[in-house]
Protein backbone atom coordinates (compact mmCIF):
# COMPACT_ATOMS: atom_id res chain seq x y z
CA UNK A 1 0.00 0.00 0.00
CA UNK A 2 2.84 2.38 0.85
CA UNK A 3 4.68 1.72 -2.41
CA UNK A 4 1.55 2.21 -4.51
CA UNK A 5 0.60 5.38 -2.62
CA UNK A 6 4.09 6.81 -3.13
CA UNK A 7 4.08 5.83 -6.81
CA UNK A 8 0.72 7.50 -7.42
CA UNK A 9 1.81 10.65 -5.60
CA UNK A 10 5.11 10.74 -7.49
CA UNK A 11 3.24 10.54 -10.80
CA UNK A 12 1.08 13.44 -9.65
CA UNK A 13 4.16 15.43 -8.63
CA UNK A 14 5.80 14.89 -12.03
CA UNK A 15 2.68 16.14 -13.82
CA UNK A 16 2.30 19.22 -11.60
CA UNK A 17 5.91 20.18 -10.92
CA UNK A 18 7.47 18.71 -14.05
CA UNK A 19 5.38 20.66 -16.55
CA UNK A 20 7.24 23.94 -15.81
CA UNK A 21 10.40 22.25 -17.12
CA UNK A 22 8.80 22.63 -20.57
CA UNK A 23 9.39 26.40 -20.41
CA UNK A 24 12.66 26.35 -22.42
CA UNK A 25 11.08 24.26 -25.19
CA UNK A 26 7.91 26.37 -25.27
CA UNK A 27 9.82 29.64 -25.53
CA UNK A 28 12.20 28.13 -28.11
CA UNK A 29 9.25 27.31 -30.39
CA UNK A 30 8.15 30.96 -30.25
CA UNK A 31 5.80 31.25 -27.25
CA UNK A 32 6.27 34.37 -25.15
CA UNK A 33 7.48 33.75 -21.60
CA UNK A 34 4.16 35.04 -20.25
CA UNK A 35 2.14 32.71 -22.49
CA UNK A 36 4.36 29.72 -21.75
CA UNK A 37 4.24 30.49 -18.03
CA UNK A 38 0.45 30.60 -18.12
CA UNK A 39 0.33 27.22 -19.88
CA UNK A 40 2.61 25.40 -17.45
CA UNK A 41 0.70 26.88 -14.49
CA UNK A 42 -2.59 25.31 -15.61
CA UNK A 43 -1.98 21.88 -13.99
CA UNK A 44 -1.50 23.63 -10.64
CA UNK A 45 -4.72 25.59 -11.19
CA UNK A 46 -6.59 22.35 -11.86
CA UNK A 47 -5.07 20.82 -8.74
CA UNK A 48 -6.01 23.69 -6.43
CA UNK A 49 -9.56 23.89 -7.77
CA UNK A 50 -10.38 20.24 -7.05
CA UNK A 51 -8.38 19.09 -4.00
CA UNK A 52 -11.32 19.44 -1.60
CA UNK A 53 -13.77 17.90 -4.07
CA UNK A 54 -11.54 14.83 -4.48
CA UNK A 55 -11.29 14.63 -0.69
CA UNK A 56 -15.07 14.55 -0.44
CA UNK A 57 -15.20 11.71 -2.97
CA UNK A 58 -12.55 9.77 -1.04
CA UNK A 59 -14.56 10.13 2.17
CA UNK A 60 -17.64 8.81 0.40
CA UNK A 61 -16.42 5.95 -1.81
CA UNK A 62 -12.88 5.08 -0.72
CA UNK A 63 -9.28 5.39 -1.82
CA UNK A 64 -8.88 2.79 -4.59
CA UNK A 65 -11.46 4.18 -7.01
CA UNK A 66 -10.14 7.72 -6.59
CA UNK A 67 -6.51 6.73 -7.10
CA UNK A 68 -7.31 4.76 -10.24
CA UNK A 69 -9.67 7.38 -11.71
CA UNK A 70 -7.35 10.30 -11.02
CA UNK A 71 -4.25 8.61 -12.42
CA UNK A 72 -6.19 7.46 -15.48
CA UNK A 73 -7.42 11.02 -16.05
CA UNK A 74 -3.82 12.28 -15.85
CA UNK A 75 -2.70 9.68 -18.36
CA UNK A 76 -5.49 10.40 -20.87
CA UNK A 77 -5.05 14.18 -20.56
CA UNK A 78 -1.28 13.95 -21.00
CA UNK A 79 -1.49 11.71 -24.06
CA UNK A 80 -4.19 13.91 -25.60
CA UNK A 81 -2.14 17.07 -24.93
CA UNK A 82 0.76 15.45 -26.78
CA UNK A 83 -1.47 14.96 -29.83
CA UNK A 84 -3.09 18.40 -30.18
CA UNK A 85 -1.71 21.51 -31.87
CA UNK A 86 -4.29 24.07 -30.76
CA UNK A 87 -2.94 26.06 -27.78
CA UNK A 88 -6.39 26.41 -26.18
CA UNK A 89 -6.99 22.66 -26.29
CA UNK A 90 -3.43 22.09 -25.07
CA UNK A 91 -4.02 24.33 -22.06
CA UNK A 92 -7.41 22.77 -21.31
CA UNK A 93 -5.86 19.31 -21.28
CA UNK A 94 -3.09 20.43 -18.95
CA UNK A 95 -5.79 21.82 -16.64
CA UNK A 96 -7.64 18.49 -16.85
CA UNK A 97 -4.45 16.63 -16.01
CA UNK A 98 -4.04 18.82 -12.94
CA UNK A 99 -7.54 17.82 -11.85
CA UNK A 100 -6.51 14.17 -12.11
CA UNK A 101 -3.27 14.84 -10.26
CA UNK A 102 -5.20 16.29 -7.32
CA UNK A 103 -6.81 12.92 -6.62
CA UNK A 104 -3.75 11.29 -5.07
CA UNK A 105 -3.08 13.99 -2.48
CA UNK A 106 -5.82 12.97 -0.10
CA UNK A 107 -6.33 9.40 -1.29
CA UNK A 108 -2.72 8.24 -0.90
CA UNK A 109 -2.50 9.93 2.51
CA UNK A 110 -5.66 8.24 3.73
CA UNK A 111 -4.50 4.90 2.33
CA UNK A 112 -1.34 5.05 4.44
CA UNK A 113 -3.03 6.32 7.59
CA UNK A 114 -5.66 3.60 7.24
CA UNK A 115 -3.22 0.70 6.86
CA UNK A 116 -0.43 1.72 9.25
CA UNK A 117 -0.80 1.69 13.04
CA UNK A 118 -0.12 4.96 14.92
CA UNK A 119 3.37 3.94 16.02
CA UNK A 120 4.49 3.44 12.38
CA UNK A 121 2.39 6.09 10.71
CA UNK A 122 4.91 8.92 10.98
CA UNK A 123 7.65 7.08 9.07
CA UNK A 124 5.18 5.82 6.48
CA UNK A 125 3.78 9.30 5.89
CA UNK A 126 7.28 10.74 5.76
CA UNK A 127 8.10 8.29 2.96
CA UNK A 128 4.89 9.24 1.20
CA UNK A 129 5.73 12.96 1.52
CA UNK A 130 9.11 12.25 -0.11
CA UNK A 131 7.17 11.65 -3.34
CA UNK A 132 7.04 15.39 -4.04
CA UNK A 133 10.81 16.02 -4.22
CA UNK A 134 11.21 12.66 -5.96
CA UNK A 135 8.74 13.76 -8.63
CA UNK A 136 10.48 17.12 -9.02
CA UNK A 137 13.83 15.35 -9.41
CA UNK A 138 12.52 12.88 -11.99
CA UNK A 139 10.84 15.69 -13.92
CA UNK A 140 14.00 17.81 -13.88
CA UNK A 141 16.10 14.91 -15.17
CA UNK A 142 13.76 13.75 -17.93
CA UNK A 143 11.33 16.35 -19.24
CA UNK A 144 13.78 19.07 -20.45
CA UNK A 145 16.05 16.50 -22.10
CA UNK A 146 13.19 14.70 -23.86
CA UNK A 147 11.66 18.02 -24.97
CA UNK A 148 14.99 19.18 -26.40
CA UNK A 149 15.81 15.99 -28.26
CA UNK A 150 12.37 14.59 -29.16
CA UNK A 151 9.93 17.49 -28.86
CA UNK A 152 7.24 18.69 -26.48
CA UNK A 153 4.73 15.90 -27.29
CA UNK A 154 7.27 13.22 -26.34
CA UNK A 155 8.10 15.09 -23.12
CA UNK A 156 4.43 15.11 -22.11
CA UNK A 157 4.37 11.35 -22.45
CA UNK A 158 6.78 11.07 -19.48
CA UNK A 159 4.22 12.06 -16.82
CA UNK A 160 1.36 10.57 -18.85
CA UNK A 161 2.89 7.10 -19.03
CA UNK A 162 3.91 7.19 -15.38
CA UNK A 163 0.32 8.10 -14.50
CA UNK A 164 -0.90 5.18 -16.61
CA UNK A 165 1.38 2.80 -14.73
CA UNK A 166 0.13 4.25 -11.44
CA UNK A 167 -3.49 3.69 -12.49
CA UNK A 168 -2.76 0.08 -13.42
CA UNK A 169 -0.81 -0.56 -10.22
CA UNK A 170 -3.53 0.92 -8.01
CA UNK A 171 -6.23 -1.01 -9.88
CA UNK A 172 -4.42 -4.28 -9.26
CA UNK A 173 -2.91 -3.75 -5.85
CA UNK A 174 -4.75 -1.15 -3.77
CA UNK A 175 -7.18 -2.40 -1.14
CA UNK A 176 -9.19 0.19 0.76
CA UNK A 177 -8.28 0.13 4.47
CA UNK A 178 -10.97 -1.06 6.85
CA UNK A 179 -13.12 1.63 8.42
CA UNK A 180 -14.82 1.46 11.79
CA UNK A 181 -18.61 1.21 11.84
CA UNK A 182 -20.09 4.57 10.97
CA UNK A 183 -21.59 6.40 13.91
CA UNK A 184 -23.21 9.81 13.99
CA UNK A 185 -20.38 11.12 16.16
CA UNK A 186 -17.77 9.85 13.70
CA UNK A 187 -19.49 11.60 10.80
CA UNK A 188 -19.79 14.90 12.69
CA UNK A 189 -17.93 17.85 11.21
CA UNK A 190 -14.60 18.04 13.13
CA UNK A 191 -14.19 21.70 12.12
CA UNK A 192 -17.17 22.76 14.21
CA UNK A 193 -16.56 23.64 17.83
CA UNK A 194 -12.85 22.76 17.70
CA UNK A 195 -10.03 24.90 16.36
CA UNK A 196 -7.42 22.12 16.17
CA UNK A 197 -7.66 21.44 12.44
CA UNK A 198 -7.88 25.12 11.53
CA UNK A 199 -4.77 25.82 13.59
CA UNK A 200 -2.83 23.00 11.92
CA UNK A 201 -3.84 24.37 8.51
CA UNK A 202 -2.69 27.83 9.58
CA UNK A 203 0.64 26.50 10.82
CA UNK A 204 1.22 24.69 7.54
CA UNK A 205 0.44 27.81 5.49
CA UNK A 206 2.90 29.85 7.56
CA UNK A 207 5.61 27.18 7.35
CA UNK A 208 5.22 26.84 3.58
CA UNK A 209 6.48 30.43 3.29
CA UNK A 210 10.13 29.65 4.20
CA UNK A 211 9.91 26.46 2.13
CA UNK A 212 8.51 28.29 -0.89
CA UNK A 213 10.96 31.17 -0.49
CA UNK A 214 13.96 28.88 -0.72
CA UNK A 215 12.51 26.64 -3.44
CA UNK A 216 11.55 29.62 -5.58
CA UNK A 217 14.42 32.04 -5.01
CA UNK A 218 17.29 29.96 -3.63
CA UNK A 219 18.82 29.25 -7.04
CA UNK A 220 18.46 32.89 -8.11
CA UNK A 221 20.09 34.09 -4.86
CA UNK A 222 23.07 31.77 -5.36
CA UNK A 223 23.46 32.94 -8.95
CA UNK A 224 22.87 36.68 -8.56
CA UNK A 225 24.23 37.54 -5.12
CA UNK A 226 26.90 34.87 -4.75
CA UNK A 227 27.94 34.63 -8.40
CA UNK A 228 27.49 30.87 -8.71
CA UNK A 229 26.98 29.37 -12.15
CA UNK A 230 23.48 28.16 -12.89
CA UNK A 231 24.77 24.60 -13.16
CA UNK A 232 26.40 24.72 -9.72
CA UNK A 233 23.42 26.44 -8.13
CA UNK A 234 21.04 23.93 -9.73
CA UNK A 235 23.10 21.00 -8.48
CA UNK A 236 23.00 22.34 -4.92
CA UNK A 237 19.25 22.97 -5.06
CA UNK A 238 18.68 19.45 -6.41
CA UNK A 239 20.74 18.08 -3.55
CA UNK A 240 18.61 19.95 -1.03
CA UNK A 241 15.51 18.25 -2.50
CA UNK A 242 16.87 14.81 -1.66
CA UNK A 243 18.07 15.93 1.76
CA UNK A 244 14.61 17.33 2.36
CA UNK A 245 13.07 13.98 1.47
CA UNK A 246 15.31 12.30 4.03
CA UNK A 247 14.35 15.00 6.55
CA UNK A 248 10.65 14.26 6.11
CA UNK A 249 11.22 10.57 6.81
CA UNK A 250 13.37 11.41 9.84
CA UNK A 251 10.72 13.76 11.22
CA UNK A 252 8.13 11.02 10.82
CA UNK A 253 10.32 8.53 12.70
CA UNK A 254 10.81 11.11 15.46
CA UNK A 255 7.04 11.62 15.81
CA UNK A 256 6.50 7.84 16.04
CA UNK A 257 9.13 7.56 18.74
CA UNK A 258 7.68 10.30 20.94
CA UNK A 259 4.05 9.41 20.17
CA UNK A 260 3.17 12.92 19.01
CA UNK A 261 2.86 14.84 15.75
CA UNK A 262 2.25 18.27 17.27
CA UNK A 263 5.23 18.36 19.63
CA UNK A 264 7.76 17.75 16.84
CA UNK A 265 5.78 20.12 14.58
CA UNK A 266 6.24 22.92 17.10
CA UNK A 267 9.97 22.26 17.37
CA UNK A 268 10.34 22.19 13.59
CA UNK A 269 8.65 25.60 13.45
CA UNK A 270 11.11 26.93 16.03
CA UNK A 271 14.07 25.50 14.12
CA UNK A 272 12.80 26.89 10.80
CA UNK A 273 12.46 30.37 12.30
CA UNK A 274 15.97 30.26 13.77
CA UNK A 275 17.52 28.94 10.55
CA UNK A 276 15.84 31.60 8.41
CA UNK A 277 16.83 34.33 10.87
CA UNK A 278 20.45 33.17 10.78
CA UNK A 279 20.34 33.04 6.98
CA UNK A 280 19.01 36.59 6.95
CA UNK A 281 21.90 37.86 9.06
CA UNK A 282 24.60 36.05 7.09
CA UNK A 283 23.14 37.05 3.71
CA UNK A 284 22.84 40.67 4.85
CA UNK A 285 26.43 40.80 6.12
CA UNK A 286 27.89 38.95 3.12
CA UNK A 287 29.13 36.05 5.24
CA UNK A 288 28.77 33.68 2.31
CA UNK A 289 30.84 30.94 3.96
CA UNK A 290 28.06 30.60 6.57
CA UNK A 291 25.08 31.63 4.44
CA UNK A 292 25.25 28.70 2.01
CA UNK A 293 25.27 25.95 4.68
CA UNK A 294 22.47 27.80 6.47
CA UNK A 295 20.45 27.91 3.26
CA UNK A 296 20.85 24.16 2.88
CA UNK A 297 19.90 23.58 6.53
CA UNK A 298 16.88 25.89 6.28
CA UNK A 299 15.77 24.15 3.07
CA UNK A 300 15.77 20.79 4.83
CA UNK A 301 14.20 22.00 8.08
CA UNK A 302 11.44 23.93 6.32
CA UNK A 303 10.01 20.79 4.67
CA UNK A 304 10.12 18.54 7.74
CA UNK A 305 6.74 19.79 8.93
CA UNK A 306 4.85 18.52 5.87
CA UNK A 307 4.45 14.89 6.89
CA UNK A 308 3.86 15.77 10.55
CA UNK A 309 1.03 18.18 9.76
CA UNK A 310 -0.43 15.88 7.10
CA UNK A 311 -0.56 12.95 9.51
CA UNK A 312 -1.97 15.12 12.29
CA UNK A 313 -4.77 16.33 10.01
CA UNK A 314 -5.71 12.78 8.97
CA UNK A 315 -5.67 11.49 12.54
CA UNK A 316 -7.61 14.44 13.93
CA UNK A 317 -10.23 14.52 11.18
CA UNK A 318 -10.93 10.79 11.46
CA UNK A 319 -11.80 8.22 8.77
CA UNK A 320 -14.97 9.97 7.59
CA UNK A 321 -13.52 13.48 7.21
CA UNK A 322 -9.81 13.04 6.56
CA UNK A 323 -10.18 13.21 2.77
CA UNK A 324 -11.69 16.68 2.98
CA UNK A 325 -9.28 17.68 5.73
CA UNK A 326 -6.26 16.73 3.62
CA UNK A 327 -7.81 18.53 0.64
CA UNK A 328 -8.17 21.73 2.67
CA UNK A 329 -4.62 21.29 3.96
CA UNK A 330 -3.10 21.07 0.48
CA UNK A 331 -5.33 23.80 -0.96
CA UNK A 332 -4.12 26.32 1.62
CA UNK A 333 -0.48 25.42 1.06
CA UNK A 334 -0.72 25.59 -2.73
CA UNK A 335 -2.50 28.94 -2.66
CA UNK A 336 0.19 30.33 -0.38
CA UNK A 337 2.91 29.03 -2.69
CA UNK A 338 1.18 30.56 -5.71
CA UNK A 339 0.90 33.98 -4.06
CA UNK A 340 4.45 33.91 -2.71
CA UNK A 341 6.34 34.05 -6.03
CA UNK A 342 4.97 37.35 -7.36
CA UNK A 343 4.81 39.05 -3.94
CA UNK A 344 8.30 38.12 -2.80
CA UNK A 345 9.63 38.68 -6.32
CA UNK A 346 8.50 42.31 -6.06
CA UNK A 347 10.08 42.63 -2.62
CA UNK A 348 13.40 41.25 -3.87
CA UNK A 349 13.36 43.69 -6.78
CA UNK A 350 12.83 46.60 -4.39
CA UNK A 351 15.00 45.60 -1.43
CA UNK A 352 17.03 42.42 -2.06
CA UNK A 353 17.04 38.81 -0.91
CA UNK A 354 17.76 39.28 2.84
CA UNK A 355 14.40 41.01 3.35
CA UNK A 356 12.39 38.05 2.05
CA UNK A 357 14.51 35.71 4.16
CA UNK A 358 13.57 37.84 7.16
CA UNK A 359 9.88 37.76 6.23
CA UNK A 360 10.06 33.96 5.99
CA UNK A 361 11.67 33.85 9.46
CA UNK A 362 8.81 35.96 10.85
CA UNK A 363 6.25 33.60 9.26
CA UNK A 364 7.91 30.57 10.86
CA UNK A 365 8.05 32.32 14.24
CA UNK A 366 4.34 33.19 13.96
CA UNK A 367 3.56 29.50 13.44
CA UNK A 368 5.06 28.43 16.79
CA UNK A 369 2.29 29.66 19.14
CA UNK A 370 -0.35 28.55 16.63
CA UNK A 371 0.55 24.84 16.93
CA UNK A 372 -2.15 23.18 19.08
CA UNK A 373 -1.03 22.08 22.51
CA UNK A 374 -0.97 18.41 23.41
CA UNK A 375 1.31 15.45 22.96
CA UNK A 376 -1.16 12.92 21.58
CA UNK A 377 -2.01 13.59 17.97
Amino acid sequence: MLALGVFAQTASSIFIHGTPFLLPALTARGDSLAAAGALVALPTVGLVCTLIAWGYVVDRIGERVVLVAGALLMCVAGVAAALVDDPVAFGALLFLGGIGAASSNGASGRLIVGWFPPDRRGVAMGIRQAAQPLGVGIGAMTIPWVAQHHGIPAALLVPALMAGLAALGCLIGVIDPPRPPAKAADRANPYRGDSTLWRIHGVSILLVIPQGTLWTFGLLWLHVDLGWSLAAAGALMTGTQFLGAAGRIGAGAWSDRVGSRLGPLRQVAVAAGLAMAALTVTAWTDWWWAAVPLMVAASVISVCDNGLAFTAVAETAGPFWSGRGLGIQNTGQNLAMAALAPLFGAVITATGFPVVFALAAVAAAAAVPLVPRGTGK
Side-chain angles (χ1 to χ4, degrees):
M1 297 303 109
L2 177 58
L4 288 169
V6 169
F7 192 82
Q9 187 60 29
T10 301
S12 169
S13 181
I14 294 173
F15 201 101
I16 296 297
H17 302 292
T19 308
F21 293 118
L22 289 172
L23 277 174
L26 289 170
T27 54
R29 77 176 185 183
D31 291 15
S32 69
L33 184 58
L39 280 175
V40 300
L42 285 171
T44 301
V45 176
L47 175 108
V48 171
C49 288
T50 54
L51 279 167
I52 299 174
W54 276 116
Y56 179 84
V57 176
V58 174
D59 288 334
R60 290 293 179 180
I61 66 174
E63 294 79 3
R64 180 173 178 266
V65 171
V66 169
L67 285 169
V68 173
L72 188 59
L73 181 59
M74 267 194 293
C75 178
V76 171
V79 171
L83 298 176
V84 301
D85 293 324
D86 181 69
V88 176
F90 182 75
L93 289 164
L94 290 181
F95 176 82
L96 191 64
I99 292 175
S103 65
S104 67
N105 280 265
S108 64
R110 275 183 49 116
L111 185 71
I112 291 165
V113 169
W115 279 114
F116 282 80
D119 61 342
R120 296 173 60 202
R121 228 173 252 161
V123 170
M125 192 64 79
I127 294 171
R128 182 265 183 198
Q129 293 295 96
Q132 184 184 37
L134 181 62
V136 173
I138 294 172
M141 288 187 292
T142 58
I143 290 177
W145 186 90
V146 175
Q148 181 181 1
H149 292 87
H150 302 285
I152 294 171
L156 283 171
L157 294 179
V158 174
L161 293 178
M162 184 140 181
L165 289 174
L168 181 61
C170 292
L171 177 66
I172 295 172
V174 166
I175 301 171
D176 288 345
R179 297 194 197 188
K183 300 177 183 177
D186 294 328
R187 293 191 180 276
N189 188 340
Y191 288 92
R192 291 178 181 169
D194 190 342
S195 65
T196 299
L197 284 170
W198 290 118
R199 291 176 68 175
I200 296 172
H201 296 327
V203 168
S204 296
I205 289 172
L206 288 169
L207 290 181
V208 88
I209 293 175
Q211 173 186 326
T213 299
L214 295 173
W215 277 16
T216 306
F217 300 109
L219 184 144
L220 192 63
W221 171 68
L222 290 167
H223 179 62
V224 172
D225 276 16
L226 276 66
W228 286 34
S229 69
L230 286 175
L236 181 64
M237 295 306 296
T238 301
T240 63
Q241 290 283 336
F242 291 105
L243 290 174
R248 295 180 188 203
I249 298 171
W254 174 23
S255 73
D256 285 342
R257 189 172 300 112
V258 301
S260 169
R261 317 298 174 203
L262 300 180
L265 180 61
R266 185 178 300 107
Q267 294 181 53
V268 167
V270 171
L274 291 174
M276 291 304 302
L279 176 59
T280 301
V281 172
T282 53
W284 194 285
T285 56
D286 295 343
W287 294 350
W288 310 126
W289 55 272
V292 173
L294 282 168
M295 188 275 291
V296 173
S299 297
V300 175
I301 294 168
S302 66
V303 300
C304 287
D305 67 288
N306 289 11
L308 298 172
F310 210 70
T311 309
V313 167
E315 292 177 336
T316 303
F320 300 102
W321 268 85
S322 57
R324 280 162 282 186
L326 295 174
I328 294 170
Q329 170 81 359
N330 277 323
T331 299
Q333 288 181 304
N334 278 284
L335 288 174
M337 286 281 278
L340 184 144
L343 290 175
F344 276 21
V347 173
I348 290 170
T349 301
T351 63
F353 290 95
V355 174
V356 298
F357 295 158
L359 291 174
V362 171
V368 176
L370 194 58
V371 179
R373 288 285 170 184
T375 57
K377 295 175 182 175

